[in-house]
Amino acid sequence: MSRTFLGMPGIASPGKSGQTFPGNAARAVQNSQLRFNLRKATRTIRARRASVVNELPDWAELRQAGKAIKDHTLRNLDTYLIQLEEAVTKAGGHVHWAADADEANRIVAGLVKATGETEVVKVKSMATQEIGLNEALLEEGITAYETDLAELIVQLGDDWPSHILVPAIHRNRSEIREIFADNMSGWGRPAPDDLTDDPAALAEAARLHLRERFLASKVAISGANFMIAETGTLVVLESEGNGRMCLTLPETLISVVGIEKLLPTWRDLEVFLQLLPRSSTGERMNPYTSMWTGATEGQDFHLVLLDNGRTGVLADEVGRQALRCIRCSACLNVCPVYERAGGHAYGSVYPGPIGAILTPLLRGMETELDRSLPYASSLCGACYEVCPVAIDIPSVLVELRARARHPWTERAGMAAAGWVFNRSGRLARLQRIGGQMRTMVPKRLPGPLSGWTDTRDLPRVPKESFRDWWNRTDGGSR
């Protein structure tokens, strides 16, 4: 199995040394337009979410039900995956198992080549972004066309997604107009010459551009929000209708889905159809909810079940709760760090608080970037409060921070502290020595300890300890 790949943007490629979240974020916060775009969008989305969540008196119970269903599924994932495979196969579909990104890309490329086609349309899918499918297909002479409006903006702008729900959240409408006017003709129908930055005009330009692509394409690629083991049904929730066009018109449909997207029964889906739209788009239900089971209406259907590090996360007692994630993006919209730094700073297709734990869990912590991601948080806990499946992101962040530390420095520091605090006389002598040498204490600690003082002021050493002051005054006699 090859190293887990998560679709890295150029600003933080996994093999590039010196890339860290603090460095990426420091550059991002210098972009005032980016900060304005993020602040406006995230605050709008979280206000809408709060409004529709408050409508449900049983929201807390729904949240706990979602958590319980996901935990049960993960504990019995092997059984339910086999049940899903049998149900899909019985319904006329074909199931493929992919251990990593390379294997998934080979499977999809082979399936597309077997049709004789060189173009595919795509439904918005984080799993395909995770494995770098578009780039892999291009190497095989196959062009993938994104049909989600935000993904289209990102693709035409030769950009990277920066948000789970709204990939082009870092762009304003003036920037989008320029992208459409300059680049749309290179991918198909050009934008109108008189295109303005009015949202309706931009949407109409995208609709006309994509309609030609929908009608001409014979192969489509999707992900799925949920898979139902009981029936072999896949579920896609979206807001524009482009997903419905991709799922029904082409002759061949290939769905790449992470193995954690499984639900045992139809009854379980009812819980998540309430949790997801409210947490993601701030709606009571998604405008388009598409469901299909196996090969329908003569369509050739293939399901690629993707591991790509997930079974490793499943074995992690603390981190496995990250696999509950239903990709709603609520944690991004309340995170003060994400609102200022944006999604690109995280160096993965999974930005924000969930990305800060999911990326190092899936990919490991060998690189400087991955070791820095658990620190991309103020630990305020807002992400846990809004998570619809109750992922305790702050606790996982703290655990990953412990794994990212220099173990020998931590052990040495704790051993020295234990030796000093074990005897009151030792502590008193060290305090007196510290007071006498306080002017020699550096403002920045050396070597591996410098990470602390890079972001914090080292407290000034007092001239006299509290113990000595107490004994010198009448406190001791009292």
Side-chain angles (χ1 to χ4, degrees):
M1 184 184 298
S2 63
R3 184 177 182 277
T4 302
F5 178 72
L6 293 183
M8 302 295 297
I11 62 167
S13 60
K16 198 171 181 180
S17 62
Q19 291 286 354
T20 63
F21 177 83
N24 294 336
R27 290 186 289 274
V29 296
Q30 301 302 314
N31 187 334
S32 59
Q33 184 64 59
L34 172 67
R35 296 203 313 276
F36 175 82
N37 295 347
L38 290 169
R39 181 170 63 251
K40 181 179 179 180
T42 56
R43 292 182 182 183
T44 299
I45 295 171
R46 67 176 179 249
R48 289 170 54 185
R49 176 199 173 275
S51 175
V52 295
V53 165
N54 290 336
E55 294 176 350
L56 295 181
D58 62 342
W59 178 259
E61 289 77 12
L62 274 172
R63 187 175 185 243
Q64 288 304 311
K67 173 181 180 293
I69 292 168
K70 278 290 189 177
D71 283 344
H72 166 78
T73 308
L74 292 171
R75 285 194 299 270
N76 300 278
L77 192 59
D78 53 346
T79 300
Y80 287 125
L81 284 171
I82 296 300
Q83 184 181 4
L84 174 75
E85 180 184 34
E86 293 173 349
V88 171
T89 303
K90 185 178 180 180
H94 309 276
V95 178
H96 311 264
W97 300 79
D100 56 24
D102 289 342
E103 186 171 8
N105 289 334
R106 284 196 302 271
I107 291 170
V108 175
L111 292 173
V112 176
K113 285 182 176 181
T115 67
E117 297 295 316
T118 58
E119 296 179 348
V120 301
V121 288
K122 286 185 67 209
V123 184
K124 179 179 180 294
S125 164
M126 299 209 71
T128 59
Q129 292 172 4
E130 174 186 324
I131 62 176
L133 179 62
N134 288 11
E135 294 77 13
L137 290 178
L138 191 59
E139 291 180 0
E140 299 292 334
I142 302 166
T143 303
Y145 294 91
E146 298 289 351
T147 64
D148 174 83
L149 177 56
E151 290 288 355
L152 175 66
I153 295 166
V154 169
Q155 185 175 54
L156 294 179
D158 194 22
D159 200 354
W160 278 87
S162 63
H163 191 276
I164 289 175
L165 174 67
V166 194
I169 196 172
H170 56 291
R171 299 289 194 182
N172 61 32
R173 63 189 193 183
S174 295
E175 293 174 304
I176 294 170
R177 191 206 70 81
E178 292 180 7
I179 290 171
F180 281 9
D182 295 341
N183 303 321
M184 192 171 270
S185 60
W187 290 80
R189 177 171 179 151
D193 294 334
D194 59 348
L195 181 65
T196 68
D197 63 0
D198 177 67
L202 295 172
E204 178 66 6
R207 186 187 72 82
L208 293 173
H209 175 83
L210 291 172
R211 180 56 60 97
E212 291 186 353
R213 189 63 56 194
F214 289 136
L215 296 175
S217 298
K218 296 184 178 181
V219 180
I221 296 174
S222 82
N225 293 98
F226 305 105
M227 302 183 291
I228 311 301
E230 181 179 44
T231 59
T233 303
L234 273 69
V235 185
V236 164
L237 282 70
E238 42 114 5
S239 301
E240 300 167 14
N242 64 292
R244 184 74 55 87
M245 299 286 280
C246 286
L247 297 170
T248 56
L249 289 178
E251 298 172 1
T252 300
L253 174 61
I254 305 167
S255 298
V256 182
V257 190
I259 57 175
E260 83 282 11
K261 294 296 185 72
L262 203 54
L263 298 177
T265 69
W266 266 101
R267 185 175 182 178
D268 299 322
L269 181 62
E270 180 264 343
V271 173
F272 293 94
L273 290 183
Q274 296 183 73
L275 290 172
L276 181 55
R278 285 177 167 83
S279 296
S280 58
T281 56
E283 298 171 294
R284 297 177 183 88
M285 66 180 291
N286 284 86
Y288 296 90
T289 299
S290 302
M291 305 180 188
W292 70 98
T293 304
T296 59
E297 299 180 357
Q299 191 180 62
D300 190 19
F301 173 62
H302 297 267
L303 171 60
V304 180
L305 293 171
L306 178 69
D307 186 330
N308 204 37
R310 286 160 173 77
T311 52
V313 180
L314 190 61
D316 189 314
E317 293 186 3
V318 177
R320 69 167 65 108
Q321 61 184 298
L323 296 179
R324 291 186 211 141
C325 178
I326 57 175
R327 309 291 192 266
C328 71
S329 78
C331 62
L332 281 70
N333 299 324
V334 299
C335 178
V337 176
Y338 174 86
E339 184 179 304
R340 288 155 180 81
H344 292 161
Y346 293 82
S348 167
V349 297
Y350 300 115
I354 187 62
I357 63 172
L358 189 58
T359 298
L361 284 169
L362 286 172
R363 198 165 59 198
M365 303 180 73
E366 289 78 19
T367 70
E368 294 178 75
L369 174 65
D370 294 324
R371 287 192 295 272
S372 72
L373 285 177
Y375 294 91
S377 170
S378 64
L379 296 181
C380 67
C383 52
Y384 172 63
E385 294 300 323
V386 300
C387 178
V389 287
I391 301 172
D392 191 353
I393 294 177
S395 293
V396 183
L397 286 168
V398 171
E399 170 66 21
L400 293 177
R401 288 182 183 188
R403 299 178 192 178
R405 289 176 187 155
H406 298 279
W408 72 267
T409 56
E410 184 175 355
R411 288 196 299 269
M414 291 299 103
W419 183 83
V420 171
F421 287 112
N422 194 41
R423 295 286 188 274
S424 60
R426 293 174 186 166
L427 178 60
R429 286 193 294 274
L430 189 63
Q431 287 174 328
R432 294 191 189 100
I433 293 172
Q436 295 167 2
M437 302 180 65
R438 66 186 184 281
T439 58
M440 302 174 62
V441 176
K443 293 184 178 180
R444 184 176 184 275
L445 294 176
L449 301 176
S450 63
W452 177 268
T453 50
D454 282 345
T455 54
R456 302 170 182 84
D457 293 329
L458 194 66
R460 295 179 60 185
V461 179
K463 182 178 180 180
E464 183 180 34
S465 70
F466 174 81
R467 181 197 301 270
D468 288 343
W469 172 85
W470 183 262
N471 292 329
R472 182 174 57 79
T473 63
D474 59 350
S477 61
R478 287 205 306 264

